[in-house]
């Protein structure tokens, strides 16, 4: 099978699989190009409430497939930053399910997700210093927001890999699961997310990402939604809520405050 992004939708959860096992799921140029339109389609799908990004087999993503990026370095780097920003801007909750290597461009994709669950034994690295690449300002800021300046500098300066224990301690991942339990935990947690109010999730995602120009929009959405009334009624009646608010073209506006001004280059490291 050619390197590609596979996807499926079931029970409110879209699963996107990075499929290039011959090269530890390294992202080819075509795969970088394919991610933004794939995400656009899933964002517009009313049946999708949550998105999971993972890798085929025992590896999340070992970075960029350098053999497919032999043209302009600026163009190659631009492909990665566009894909990363599209993932960060996805208007619904996103979760990276990580096994094995999560390195270079793979670490960029994982950091662009809202949450990261990893299996014990996974290895993480931000490796532009290995190739003499200037890491994109947007990707650097995102990394700093996750792990803080000191750990971000450690990762960027050294290019060394860290284990799941350190990744959890520094905030790079949110949960670490024993071998064989990642899929079960991801399934359980995404069912929880899919059952919650997308109105709450989408607005919280924008606010958490620093948007300061959409307060009035979300106040209007709340007034026009039945989610609050349904949530209160379900609580009083001791039943699961049936939330009905869905994203619209207006509500899927870029969720990252910095996206419009993000620099056009990033590291696509193996």
């Amino acid at each position: 099978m050619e390197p590609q992004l596979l996807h499926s939708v079931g029970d409110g959860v879209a699963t996107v699989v990075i499929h290039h096992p011959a090269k530890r799921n390294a992202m080819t140029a075509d795969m970088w190009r394919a991610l933004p339109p794939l995400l656009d389609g899933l964002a517009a799908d009313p049946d999708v409430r949550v998105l999971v990004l993972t890798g085929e087999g025992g590896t999340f993503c070992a970075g960029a497939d350098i053999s497919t990026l032999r043209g302009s370095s600026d163009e190659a780097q631009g492909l990665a930053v566009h894909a990363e920003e599209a993932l960060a801007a996805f208007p619904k909750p996103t979760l990276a399910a990580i096994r094995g290597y999560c390195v270079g461009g793979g670490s960029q994709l994982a950091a662009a997700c809202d949450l990261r669950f990893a299996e014990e034994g996974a290895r993480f690295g931000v490796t532009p210093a290995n190739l003499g690449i200037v890491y994109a300002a947007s990707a650097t800021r995102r990394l700093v927001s996750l792990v803080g300046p000191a750990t971000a500098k450690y990762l960027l300066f050294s290019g060394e890999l860290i284990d799941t224990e350190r990744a959890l301690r520094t905030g790079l991942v949110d949960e670490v699961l024993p071998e064989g339990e990642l899929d079960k935990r991801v399934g359980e947690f995404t069912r929880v997310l899919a059952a919650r109010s997308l109105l709450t999730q989408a607005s919280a995602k924008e606010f958490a990402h620093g948007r300061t120009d959409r307060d009035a929009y979300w106040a209007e959405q709340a007034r026009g939604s039945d989610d609050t009334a349904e949530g209160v009624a379900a609580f009083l009646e001791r039943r699961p809520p049936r939330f009905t608010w869905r994203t619209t073209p207006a509500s899927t506006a870029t969720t990252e405050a910095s996206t419009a001004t993000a620099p056009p280059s990033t590291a696509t490291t193996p």
Side-chain angles (χ1 to χ4, degrees):
M1 184 180 293
E2 291 295 317
Q4 60 184 300
L5 300 174
L6 306 176
H7 75 279
S8 60
V9 177
D11 298 325
V13 179
T15 302
V16 175
V17 180
I18 303 168
H19 189 280
H20 191 186
K23 293 195 176 181
R24 293 183 175 176
N25 296 329
M27 291 284 287
T28 66
D30 286 344
M31 292 165 76
W32 288 119
R33 291 189 187 96
L35 186 57
L38 172 59
L39 294 174
D40 286 344
L42 295 174
D45 186 342
D47 292 331
V48 173
R49 304 293 301 275
V50 183
L51 184 139
V52 174
L53 179 67
T54 192
E56 180 69 27
T59 297
F60 180 73
C61 175
D65 185 349
I66 300 299
S67 67
T68 70
L69 302 174
R70 295 186 183 277
S72 165
S73 60
D74 287 345
E75 179 183 1
Q77 293 168 357
L79 291 174
V81 82
H82 183 52
E84 175 195 355
E85 294 299 334
L87 181 57
F90 194 76
K92 305 169 187 181
T94 57
L95 187 153
I98 301 165
R99 293 183 183 85
Y101 287 97
C102 177
V103 180
S107 68
Q108 285 180 251
L109 291 174
C113 291
D114 297 314
L115 300 166
R116 286 149 296 280
F117 288 6
E119 185 176 83
E120 287 181 351
R123 302 280 283 176
F124 302 84
V126 185
T127 54
N130 295 351
L131 295 177
I133 292 173
V134 175
Y135 208 51
S138 58
T140 301
R141 287 192 292 266
R142 188 171 291 118
L143 181 63
V144 170
S145 73
L146 285 176
V147 302
T151 298
K153 290 174 183 177
Y154 176 91
L155 293 169
L156 283 163
F157 291 0
S158 71
E160 291 191 349
L161 304 188
I162 63 173
D163 60 16
T164 49
E165 180 182 357
R166 184 163 186 173
L168 181 64
R169 186 172 69 249
T170 58
L172 188 59
V173 299
D174 301 284
E175 292 190 15
V176 173
L177 287 307
E179 184 176 354
E181 295 187 17
L182 180 62
D183 288 342
K184 178 182 177 182
R185 174 57 179 153
V186 169
E188 292 171 347
F189 191 71
T190 53
R191 283 192 292 273
V192 170
L193 295 182
R196 301 298 191 245
S197 169
L198 187 55
L199 172 65
T200 301
Q201 293 167 341
S203 57
K205 182 166 181 170
E206 284 201 359
F207 296 153
H209 284 168
R211 284 294 293 261
T212 59
D213 60 341
R214 297 251 287 175
D215 298 38
Y217 170 82
W218 287 113
E220 180 183 355
Q221 290 294 303
R223 287 192 295 270
S225 169
D226 293 328
D227 273 18
T228 300
E230 168 61 14
V232 172
F235 177 81
L236 294 175
E237 296 168 16
R238 298 186 178 183
R239 60 171 175 81
R242 295 181 291 273
F243 295 117
T244 58
W245 187 89
R246 296 292 184 269
T247 54
T248 64
S251 67
T252 58
T254 301
T255 59
E256 287 267 316
S258 62
T259 298
T261 57
S265 64
T266 188
T268 54
T269 56

